[in-house]
Amino acid sequence: MPQQKLQITAVAPDPALLDLPWDVPLAEWPDDVLAALPQGISRHVVRFVSHGGRVLAIKEIGETVAYREYELLRQLHRIEVPSVVPVGVITGRRAPDGERLEAVLLTEHLQFSLPYRALFSQDLRPDTATRLIDALAVLLVRLHLVGFYWGDVSLSNTLFRRDAETFAAYLVDAETGDMHRTLTNGQRNYDVDLARTNIIGELMDLAAGELLDEAVDEVSIGDALVERYQELWDALTGSEAFDSDDRWRVAARIERLNDLGFDVGELEITTDIDGTKVRIQPKVVDAGHHSRRLLRLTGLDVQENQARRMLNDLDSYRAATDRQNDQEQIVAHAWVRQVFRPTIDAVPRELRRKLEPAQLFHEILDHRWFISQQAQRDIPLPEAAESYVEHVLRHRPDEDAVLGLAPGEAEPEDG
């Protein structure tokens, strides 16, 4: 009987991976090996396992495709595009009877993330579909900016995480993707058109299963993806012309892009022959303006809109403590010690796994505003944190929470 000759290709191969039952088809793996996590639709068999203190997603796939997708995900990870982290490829699998088994691609499970069908399996607000589409549009623009052609854009190939009051989208399947120096308009438009078609179909499928609010127009949501993508692409890459006396518009354009969450790495400025007209066009833009600033100031690595909210609270702290003239980084570290960490530490340890720390902080701030409005007084943050834990957080399931429901709107369970 032929023996398995497993080959593990990984940046840091873990010998303990050999303990998993690679001689069994993935669909037949026993429950005691698997981690019970929400799973999206996939054309391949996918299973989750808890291994070495982390959860791995394992996808059975052809060897050539597995290696190709592994390399693409490594490229995306290196340039910090939101995508799952590749772990490795395992080949040489054989069943006990000698039958060849498919290779597998291993990626890290994205903690606190969910496939779109798991989001819609709960009672969500009607605008949830729109917020998911906004997140997917941002992801698609970011991929296109770095020259990545997806080739199969859909909600099914995306994972979503909370990002303050919005969602952040992550690419989870790069099987059909390809990396180029730049993309043609035809390549971009194909991705966008395919995204529209797939999204409409996926939402119609949800509607057929009575998982979609009746007020949602599936076609309008698909059209909104196209509109949102084009608006963002034009804002990030379009050129504008103005009189040479209006040079303030250069700074205004950069500030507008920062507000969208992007930094300008390179800006091309040209003038006409007589110097009366100026044209500007961003040449290099990079997402993560607010998250990079917060990381630089505090060392906290969070999502973009979470960072925006935390920076606003930092500004409020700076004003309240009359430290506008102090060095920003010193004040930021004081804010972490005196505001952020004590607020997170006020949440019982067994409840902290329900949401990321940055999301917990954001929701406590929202809850503070909500109960302050009810009480018609300013509620101190420690009191707000205690109220949030007792009346909201305790009644939420682990990790996924009541996605789509605004903080403060959750009703405590009876008893």
Side-chain angles (χ1 to χ4, degrees):
M1 180 183 300
Q3 297 295 311
Q4 288 196 97
K5 294 183 178 180
L6 291 180
Q7 179 177 340
I8 302 177
T9 301
V11 174
D14 182 357
L17 286 172
L18 297 173
D19 297 333
L20 294 172
W22 299 116
D23 59 345
V24 178
L26 201 54
E28 300 174 13
W29 278 25
D31 290 342
D32 60 353
V33 174
L34 303 178
L37 289 172
Q39 188 168 317
I41 297 174
S42 173
R43 63 175 68 89
H44 304 287
V45 178
V46 179
R47 295 292 184 266
F48 297 103
V49 299
S50 182
H51 179 79
R54 59 181 175 174
V55 175
L56 300 180
I58 304 175
K59 178 168 69 172
E60 230 167 27
I61 193 171
E63 181 175 329
T64 302
V65 179
Y67 279 120
R68 185 174 180 278
E69 185 170 4
Y70 173 67
E71 289 302 327
L72 282 171
L73 289 173
R74 287 187 65 194
Q75 290 182 59
L76 293 175
H77 183 59
R78 278 196 297 267
I79 57 179
E80 299 182 336
V81 173
S83 54
V84 292
V85 177
V87 174
V89 174
I90 296 181
T91 59
R93 300 172 62 214
R94 285 185 181 272
D97 63 3
E99 179 188 359
R100 290 180 180 274
L101 300 178
E102 291 269 42
V104 295
L105 171 69
L106 286 74
T107 58
E108 286 189 23
H109 170 64
L110 185 63
Q111 195 176 19
F112 299 104
S113 70
L114 283 176
Y116 81 103
R117 292 186 70 88
L119 297 176
F120 284 96
S121 67
Q122 309 172 53
D123 255 343
L124 300 186
R125 299 188 308 184
D127 69 341
T128 297
T130 302
R131 290 188 289 153
L132 294 181
I133 293 307
D134 282 345
L136 183 54
V138 173
L139 173 61
L140 190 54
V141 166
R142 291 188 63 177
L143 290 168
H144 286 175
L145 285 171
V146 299
F148 184 82
Y149 167 75
W150 197 339
D152 192 13
V153 190
S154 66
L155 293 171
S156 299
N157 289 335
T158 312
L159 287 173
F160 296 92
R161 296 172 77 176
R162 280 185 175 275
D163 183 9
E165 72 281 359
T166 65
F167 290 105
Y170 287 73
L171 179 146
V172 69
D173 192 327
E175 182 181 337
T176 58
D178 203 5
M179 187 68 80
H180 301 267
R181 189 171 182 274
T182 58
L183 296 183
T184 65
N185 287 338
Q187 288 171 316
R188 291 193 305 104
N189 290 336
Y190 180 86
D191 257 358
V192 175
D193 289 343
L194 183 61
R196 176 185 179 276
T197 300
N198 284 343
I199 287 165
I200 292 173
E202 289 168 323
L203 293 180
M204 285 183 172
D205 182 55
L206 289 175
E210 299 183 351
L211 293 175
L212 194 65
D213 191 281
E214 293 181 357
V216 174
D217 183 333
E218 299 92 339
V219 175
S220 294
I221 294 294
D223 291 341
L225 179 280
V226 179
E227 294 170 7
R228 174 65 171 141
Y229 171 91
Q230 199 57 55
E231 289 172 0
L232 190 54
W233 183 264
D234 289 345
L236 294 173
T237 66
S239 63
E240 60 180 300
F242 48 85
D243 293 336
S244 59
D245 292 337
D246 293 336
R247 296 176 186 174
W248 58 269
R249 291 177 62 173
V250 176
R253 177 68 180 273
I254 294 173
E255 184 177 353
R256 187 160 75 250
L257 293 178
N258 290 164
D259 288 341
L260 289 171
F262 289 80
D263 283 322
V264 180
E266 186 178 330
L267 187 70
E268 182 178 77
I269 303 177
T270 57
T271 62
D272 59 10
I273 294 176
D274 59 7
T276 60
K277 292 287 185 180
V278 176
R279 179 176 294 276
I280 60 173
Q281 181 173 16
K283 301 296 290 183
V284 179
V285 291
D286 193 11
H289 171 74
H290 297 94
S291 57
R292 270 195 298 274
R293 181 176 171 230
L294 185 73
L295 181 62
R296 185 177 68 252
L297 289 173
T298 67
L300 298 172
D301 189 4
V302 306
Q303 303 280 356
E304 179 67 11
N305 286 310
Q306 292 169 345
R308 191 192 305 259
R309 183 68 185 276
M310 293 165 76
L311 287 168
N312 287 340
D313 194 70
L314 171 57
D315 288 340
S316 298
Y317 168 83
R318 192 172 191 176
T321 55
D322 195 24
R323 301 187 65 176
Q324 291 94 331
N325 295 324
D326 291 354
Q327 187 177 347
E328 187 177 35
Q329 196 161 13
I330 293 175
V331 179
H333 281 286
W335 173 83
V336 171
R337 291 195 311 272
Q338 298 174 18
V339 179
F340 179 75
R341 290 299 179 196
T343 301
I344 300 303
D345 290 344
V347 177
R349 187 177 297 275
E350 69 273 13
L351 299 180
R352 292 180 204 168
R353 65 185 179 186
K354 291 175 178 281
L355 291 170
E356 294 175 285
Q359 187 66 27
L360 276 174
F361 187 76
H362 162 76
E363 296 202 1
I364 289 170
L365 291 181
D366 266 6
H367 185 73
R368 180 189 186 188
W369 178 88
F370 180 77
I371 62 177
S372 293
Q373 291 292 305
Q374 288 184 323
Q376 293 296 298
R377 66 180 177 88
D378 186 32
I379 302 293
L381 192 54
E383 183 180 340
E386 181 180 354
S387 172
Y388 172 79
V389 167
E390 292 303 317
H391 299 294
V392 179
L393 189 61
R394 286 193 184 278
H395 308 283
R396 288 182 143 167
D398 288 352
E399 291 195 352
D400 51 334
V402 187
L403 293 171
L405 193 61
E409 293 181 354
E411 291 293 334
E413 297 173 354
D414 292 337

